[in-house]
Amino acid sequence: MTYTVLSLFPELIDAFFALSILGKAVNRGLLRYRSVNIRDFALDKHKTCDDAPYGGGAGMLMMAEPVGRALASLGIPNRLDPPVAAVPKPKPRVIYLSPSGRPFTQEKAKGLAEEAELILLCGRYEGLDQRIIDGYVDEEISIGDYVLSSGEVAALVLIDATYRLVEAVITPASLEEESFSGGLLEYPQYTRPEQYGMLKVPEVLLSGHHENIRQWRLRKRIEKTLALRPDLIHQGEEAGLFDRETRTIIVELRNSGAG
Ligand code: SAM
């Protein structure tokens, strides 16, 4: 997977790619990263990339030309330009991080992790000139119903949620019973010491009995999801996601007053 990030502040993203598991995955050749500074494609000597919106209104807008030129430098065609007779090559997916986009979810992250390349477009100011969205963007993605001041933070969220799902970056077992897998949140976890203040690690986890541990964890996942995210349980039920064991525990817990 290659992440290509277009930004007015690529240093923000560069630092993230240098560290931790992500940095190691890049060094191991499992991921590639390139950043493009949109300012390098400005047309004037002051490197201007923003201007006032037509029709008036507060704030500035990112100008179409520098962004379009930055995308063209990556070989991304403007779909509104007259077609040129060239051999079509697979085009990477161009994503604009935007509060107007479709909400980002774990399911979406899984799908994007299978792409060969993602081109992430980070907005600033009041966002992008609409002609860039119309001409180049395949998809707008929002990381939540709130307005950030920058697309870089949103791009980092998307990168962080997707890179760990790319094959071989982390061990598949770590992803198996995570929150959202199978429509449930994760079970509570404990590490040493066995006794922390007044609180002891649940006995079953010390028992070494794998089947009892599995059952305890499943019950805890369901309890937690019913308490914190009953919407996920409803969605899972509607999608027929749960096996008989899970359904039985849901009924039991509901009868006892949970969710
Ligand atoms: N004027 C825009 C609006 O009202 O929808 C908000 C622009 S915001 C101040 C600047 C940039 O931050 C956007 O262009 C986008 O790239 C990014 N951004 C803000 N909120 C976001 C969100 N919830 N998800 C993804 N990106 C976001």
Side-chain angles (χ1 to χ4, degrees):
M1 151 80 93
T2 301
Y3 292 97
T4 301
V5 183
L6 284 79
S7 159
L8 287 170
F9 297 93
E11 315 84 275
L12 282 171
I13 315 274
D14 297 348
F16 196 64
F17 269 90
L19 298 170
S20 188
I21 305 175
L22 185 51
K24 282 189 197 140
V26 171
N27 289 336
R28 285 165 63 205
L30 298 172
L31 303 172
R32 279 169 302 280
Y33 163 63
R34 51 185 177 162
S35 61
V36 176
N37 191 336
I38 296 169
R39 215 169 280 289
D40 292 341
F41 297 88
L43 291 169
D44 65 345
K45 67 173 189 218
H46 302 293
K47 305 267 176 211
T48 309
C49 287
D50 60 303
D51 208 336
Y54 281 114
M60 303 293 268
L61 211 56
M62 284 174 75
M63 297 164 75
E65 281 146 324
V67 183
R69 280 157 50 95
L71 285 161
S73 78
L74 299 168
I76 307 294
N78 183 334
R79 65 172 81 89
L80 303 179
D81 281 349
V84 282
V87 185
K89 346 179 247 187
K91 194 181 94 43
R93 197 162 188 74
V94 179
I95 294 172
Y96 171 41
L97 283 310
S98 157
S100 306
R102 293 239 165 82
F104 189 53
T105 61
Q106 185 68 13
E107 267 317 291
K108 186 73 202 168
K110 277 188 198 154
L112 293 179
E114 285 168 14
E115 296 276 339
E117 178 171 6
L118 295 177
I119 304 231
L120 304 178
L121 206 41
C122 304
R124 283 264 164 177
Y125 318 115
E126 291 306 320
L128 292 180
D129 185 302
Q130 184 62 35
R131 291 166 291 185
I132 291 294
I133 300 171
D134 295 343
Y136 295 95
V137 171
D138 297 310
E139 186 171 12
E140 293 183 61
I141 293 185
S142 163
I143 63 155
D145 288 348
Y146 38 77
V147 179
L148 304 166
S149 57
S150 68
E152 286 78 8
V153 174
L156 288 177
V157 169
L158 186 149
I159 292 164
D160 204 35
T162 52
Y163 88 83
R164 58 197 296 286
L165 303 176
V166 171
E167 207 181 330
V169 170
I170 60 175
T171 49
S174 312
L175 306 173
E176 262 166 28
E177 289 182 325
E178 279 197 321
S179 294
F180 309 114
S181 68
L184 298 171
L185 300 177
E186 196 185 45
Y187 46 77
Q189 304 217 62
Y190 303 84
T191 185
R192 286 190 296 175
E194 230 176 274
Q195 183 89 36
Y196 173 66
M198 298 294 286
L199 302 176
K200 201 169 176 303
V201 172
E203 209 60 53
V204 63
L205 299 179
L206 308 171
S207 68
H209 193 301
H210 297 304
E211 177 54 19
N212 286 354
I213 294 174
R214 186 196 67 75
Q215 287 179 18
W216 180 87
R217 285 180 165 165
L218 176 61
R219 177 171 284 268
K220 286 291 170 189
R221 293 187 78 188
I222 300 168
E223 263 176 30
K224 191 169 158 186
T225 314
L226 274 169
L228 302 178
R229 292 292 306 275
D231 56 308
L232 291 179
I233 300 275
H234 293 307
Q235 277 169 31
E237 286 174 326
E238 271 174 24
L241 220 56
F242 302 134
D243 60 14
R244 183 195 292 240
E245 185 184 13
T246 305
R247 292 198 305 269
T248 307
I249 301 172
I250 292 173
V251 171
E252 243 178 74
L253 289 170
R254 278 200 181 125
N255 288 343
S256 69

